Amino acid sequence: HSCRMEEKYKGILLFVLMMIFNFLCCLLFFAAQATFIALFAVAMMIALSLGARKYFARISMCASIIIIVYLIWLTYCFLINFSIMLLN
């Protein structure tokens, strides 16, 4: 049971880190117009989401599916950010 709780807290920690990078990405992209650094932030969110999904899949299938949908959105966001960076 304690192992399951440990996995839950690791997943929550990764989720919180994802949200911090999400906030930073918005600031970097829109306010600072630092597209390269924002692209790095999106890449970090993708990596953190993959880690969170690993832990959430062991606890809740629904949470795992939601993270997969979020990963699809992040991939789209990464591609748009990359395209904007190339155009500038």
Side-chain angles (χ1 to χ4, degrees), residues 28-49:
L28 292 167
F29 186 82
F30 293 108
Q33 296 182 356
T35 55
F36 180 74
I37 300 170
L39 187 69
F40 174 75
V42 174
M44 287 300 298
M45 286 191 295
I46 291 171
L48 291 167
S49 296

Side-chain angles (χ1 to χ4, degrees), residues 10-48:
K10 285 180 183 178
I12 290 170
L13 174 65
L14 290 173
F15 181 79
V16 169
L17 289 172
M18 281 171 24
M19 293 301 104
I20 291 169
F21 272 96
N22 193 337
F23 177 73
L24 289 174
C25 183
C26 292
L27 287 178
L28 292 167
F29 186 82
F30 293 108
Q33 296 182 356
T35 55
F36 180 74
I37 300 170
L39 187 69
F40 174 75
V42 174
M44 287 300 298
M45 286 191 295
I46 291 171
L48 291 167

